[in-house]
Amino acid sequence: MHISFNSFLAACPGAISQGIIWGIMALGVFVTYKVLDCADLTVDGSICTGGAVSAILITGGMDPMLSLVFATLAGMLCGAVTGLLHTKLNIPAILSGILTQLALYSVNMRIMGRANVTLLGKHVALSLQNIPHAILVSGIIAVFVISVLYWFFGTEVGCAVRATGNNDNMARAQGVNTDNVKMLGLIISNGLVALSGALLAQYQGFSDVQMGRGAIVIGLASVIIGEVILGTHSSFAVRMSSMILGAVIYYIIISLVLQAGLNTNDLKLFSAATVAVALAIPTIKTWALNGKNGRSTHA
Amino acid sequence: MHKLEIQALNKTFNQGTINEKVAIHQLSLNFEEGEFVTVIGGNGAGKSTLLNLIAGVYPADSGKVILDGRDITKMPEHKRACMLGRVFQDPMMGTASDMGIEENLAMAYRRGKKRSLRWGISAQERDKYREKLRSLDLGLEGRLSTRVGLLSGGQRQALTLLMATLQKPNLLLLDEHTAALDPRTAAKVLELSDRIIAKHGLTTMMVTHNMRDAIEHGNRLIMMHEGAIVLDIAGEAKKKLTVEGLIEKFSAVSGQEFANDRALLS
Ligand SMILES: Nc1ncnc2c1ncn2[C@@H]1O[C@H](COP(=O)(O)OP(=O)(O)O)[C@@H](O)[C@H]1O
Ligand SMILES: [Mg+2]
């Protein structure tokens, strides 16, 4: 159980590139979970859809950058399906997401034709074989995504999305069709998640039907870490950047615990436990306060 | 043509279950342009349900709601919103707490307009909001970008009122909008409501649990009981009403004591 500072430094660049790629996914989770206040589980499926679409298009000869556009569109479609289930058929959001996610397993298998598509020897936009380049490419894309989101959430439509997530009662009273807004949020979110999946597939050199398993937990972990570091009341641009930072820190932590000797098979248990603790912090704080003041802090 | 026409409206919650509750029963009502109607009644009389049916929060079982000649009975809530201004009992309900004061106002300013990908607030709007906020006399004009979550309940209700009337509504619906406030703040918000209603000549429905407020404000008073209107007094007759007289009338029509003790205390 010895982590040398040098081995930590050696692991850092990989954690950063992976973190930025997952950070884009975390931005997608941020849009639904934080902005719209709706937990969407579609992402475990749509991240893989992004990877699958990109991988198949690249093996078919498409430019890897262009394939990102199609992967994003495919993810948006996934979000639209969940949105329809939720808003038009009134299925609870969580369940709608789970249904789409399950269905996407079959869809992703159909897209790839098999469980795994390798991109070995193909021209990709970024690869773990050239990490500095990967950091540059994913960084540029992340900045682009944050800029677009920042602009969008400042527009009239974007304000309506934020208001709906904040208080859907108020939004409806101000004439917002909250169903359409939720639909839009799910579409944007899953588009980002699929974009992240496409980048991930290119980065790691393959797309795998299992690559999305537990993605939501990584996304949530990044969102939570990001908020712990930069707070929830900073400006919107800072909050979004903190999602990327959160994901990077998450991967640095992961690489640390792996170096410390954690079995890779235990990684998901570790991630889930970490996120559970982080989500429980507000409640635990309340307990602590009650203990001190001897009164409930619930309104 | 009446301003607002409600025809034989019915609403039952949890129909067919043991929790079945008739909230509105065969209720008909007409409002004229510029009428300011105060609505009183015991807890559970159906006052909020009536306002929610007008606003389209949930659908009516039967009956009609016609506003300015337009049948809005089946219109979804967000579409009716362009014609209605609403302030709720809960100060949290009318505003988005994580958004700034100006962002909330900008949401209200676009009520009933198509929202596009234009920027959410323009510079001219800001000046206009500052001026409107100054008229509230709460010192909010210098805090345009302050998060609404940081405001007091009274400030939030005043802001919600401003939002409800930023675009002149065909009908203003106030549902016990001062009930959650301390007496001094409540009086201030009520005075503000009077001022805004008078200035724009708004047709208004104001639910209150306070009999004195119901008598002193508005030009028509309605009492509800068990989902129906049991008293409807306007004009000179309303001016002559007293709290004691109202309580007596309530006992007479309902055959019971006025159940809302808050009303007696105030
Ligand atoms: N959403 C709802 N579901 C079930 N019952 C409701 C609902 N809203 C109101 N009620 C019931 O309908 C009756 C009228 O309620 P309401 O209109 O809120 O009364 P109030 O006059 O006090 O505003 C009450 O008995 C209440 O319990
Ligand atoms: Mg009520």
Side-chain angles (χ1 to χ4, degrees):
Chain A
M1 291 283 273
H2 172 73
I3 316 166
S4 81
F5 187 64
N6 285 338
S7 65
F8 167 65
L9 278 188
C12 253
I16 291 173
S17 52
Q18 226 176 343
I20 297 175
I21 294 170
W22 279 94
I24 293 169
M25 190 268 178
L27 279 171
V29 173
F30 172 77
V31 169
T32 43
Y33 182 63
K34 282 292 161 183
V35 179
L36 267 183
D37 194 20
C38 135
D40 172 36
L41 298 183
T42 315
V43 296
D44 280 22
S46 57
I47 190 167
C48 178
T49 306
V53 167
S54 178
I56 282 299
L57 290 176
I58 290 173
T59 51
M62 187 186 273
D63 175 75
M65 273 304 201
L66 187 60
S67 80
L68 296 179
V69 175
F70 288 94
T72 307
L73 291 175
M76 291 173 131
L77 200 61
C78 303
V81 172
T82 302
L84 285 174
L85 291 175
H86 177 45
T87 62
K88 297 285 179 273
L89 303 177
N90 293 320
I91 300 171
I94 295 260
L95 200 50
S96 303
I98 291 177
L99 291 174
T100 312
Q101 180 202 119
L102 183 68
L104 280 177
Y105 181 89
S106 306
V107 173
N108 294 337
M109 283 296 274
R110 284 279 175 189
I111 293 173
M112 296 193 289
R114 53 196 177 278
N116 189 298
V117 171
T118 175
L119 290 171
L120 214 66
K122 299 285 174 195
H123 176 57
V124 288
L126 74 178
S127 161
L128 48 74
Q129 276 152 11
N130 185 348
I131 287 181
H133 178 258
I135 292 177
L136 183 71
V137 173
S138 56
I140 290 172
I141 293 175
V143 168
F144 173 74
V145 166
I146 289 176
S147 313
V148 171
L149 286 179
Y150 183 76
W151 162 77
F152 173 73
F153 283 114
T155 65
E156 293 176 342
V157 176
C159 285
V161 176
R162 285 190 290 137
T164 301
N166 197 189
N167 180 354
D168 61 343
N169 183 72
M170 173 269 196
R172 273 192 301 277
Q174 302 309 335
V176 176
N177 183 339
T178 49
D179 277 353
N180 285 356
V181 161
K182 281 177 190 158
M183 180 95 176
L184 184 62
L186 286 165
I187 289 174
I188 294 172
S189 167
N190 282 286
L192 292 175
V193 170
L195 171 62
S196 158
L199 291 169
L200 187 63
Q202 296 189 28
Y203 177 77
Q204 64 191 11
F206 63 89
S207 170
D208 188 286
V209 77
Q210 297 284 1
M211 69 191 261
R213 174 166 289 181
I216 182 69
V217 176
I218 300 177
L220 285 176
S222 311
V223 170
I224 295 164
I225 295 170
E227 291 206 326
V228 166
I229 293 171
L230 291 173
T232 52
H233 290 156
S234 23
S235 81
F236 213 68
V238 172
R239 280 182 78 187
M240 287 194 291
S241 311
S242 74
M243 299 302 118
I244 307 282
L245 189 62
V248 169
I249 290 172
Y250 174 83
Y251 272 97
I252 289 177
I253 294 172
I254 293 298
S255 65
L256 278 178
V257 295
L258 285 179
Q259 280 179 38
L262 186 83
N263 186 322
T264 26
N265 289 330
D266 294 333
L267 206 54
K268 295 222 190 292
L269 174 63
F270 173 81
S271 307
T274 313
V275 171
V277 169
L279 287 175
I281 283 175
T283 310
I284 294 169
K285 270 190 189 156
T286 330
W287 291 345
L289 276 176
N290 286 348
K292 256 188 234 156
N293 306 340
R295 64 178 166 84
S296 169
T297 52
H298 285 285
Chain B
M1 187 180 77
H2 301 291
K3 181 75 179 174
L4 174 74
E5 213 173 321
I6 294 173
Q7 299 173 355
L9 204 62
N10 282 290
K11 179 70 185 177
T12 303
F13 289 108
N14 306 315
Q15 197 138 31
T17 72
I18 46 164
N19 292 322
E20 183 169 298
K21 172 75 203 172
V22 179
I24 296 291
H25 180 67
Q26 285 294 108
L27 189 146
S28 296
L29 185 67
N30 291 326
F31 282 2
E32 305 310 326
E33 178 82 47
E35 265 189 322
F36 178 0
V37 185
T38 55
V39 184
I40 54 169
N43 281 329
K47 307 179 295 291
S48 297
T49 306
L50 177 59
L51 263 58
N52 286 338
L53 286 171
I54 296 172
V57 175
Y58 29 66
D61 299 336
S62 64
K64 272 190 179 154
V65 180
I66 300 164
L67 183 58
D68 279 322
R70 200 160 156 204
D71 186 345
I72 59 168
T73 319
K74 298 226 155 59
M75 195 185 275
E77 185 181 1
H78 68 268
K79 286 215 176 117
R80 299 184 198 195
C82 66
M83 301 187 252
L84 302 171
R86 289 155 72 193
V87 185
F88 315 89
Q89 179 171 352
D90 181 356
M92 300 297 178
M93 218 155 137
T95 46
S97 55
D98 287 345
M99 293 169 76
I101 292 177
E102 58 179 12
E103 286 180 312
N104 273 272
L105 285 165
M107 286 292 300
Y109 189 55
R110 284 161 181 74
R111 185 171 65 222
K113 293 182 187 160
K114 194 160 165 43
R115 286 167 217 268
S116 72
L117 291 178
R118 269 195 305 264
W119 201 243
I121 308 178
S122 69
Q124 304 100 287
E125 266 176 82
R126 277 203 182 90
D127 295 336
K128 183 178 162 145
Y129 297 160
R130 210 169 278 124
E131 191 187 312
K132 293 259 179 194
L133 287 167
R134 192 168 292 124
S135 73
L136 297 184
D137 196 21
L138 292 169
L140 294 181
E141 61 272 17
R143 302 170 63 189
L144 277 182
S145 55
T146 302
R147 278 190 334 112
V148 169
L150 298 173
L151 304 185
S152 69
Q155 289 173 325
R156 281 180 84 149
Q157 286 304 67
L159 178 63
T160 310
L161 193 62
L162 191 58
M163 287 165 63
T165 52
L166 202 55
Q167 294 277 3
K168 187 182 169 187
N170 302 44
L171 180 67
L172 179 63
L173 300 173
L174 309 173
D175 190 357
E176 299 207 39
H177 70 307
T178 60
L181 310 175
D182 65 81
R184 257 193 57 200
T185 318
K188 192 157 186 198
V189 170
L190 205 53
E191 182 265 324
L192 184 68
S193 312
D194 267 343
R195 193 145 46 90
I196 293 178
I197 291 165
K199 185 174 165 203
H200 302 284
L202 298 174
T203 311
T204 304
M205 231 176 142
M206 180 176 92
V207 177
T208 173
H209 63 265
N210 186 312
M211 293 222 179
R212 184 163 300 125
D213 288 345
I215 293 169
E216 286 172 3
H217 300 262
N219 44 31
R220 182 173 166 191
L221 182 147
I222 284 174
M223 185 186 280
M224 285 184 69
H225 181 63
E226 292 183 345
I229 289 165
V230 290
L231 194 69
D232 188 344
I233 300 176
E236 287 306 309
K238 176 176 182 288
K239 286 186 187 144
K240 291 197 197 106
L241 282 173
T242 61
V243 173
E244 293 72 27
L246 262 188
I247 292 172
E248 225 166 79
K249 284 214 166 69
F250 179 82
S251 315
V253 284
S254 68
Q256 65 188 75
E257 295 287 300
F258 192 80
N260 194 338
D261 52 357
R262 283 183 303 167
L264 295 177
L265 288 173
S266 46

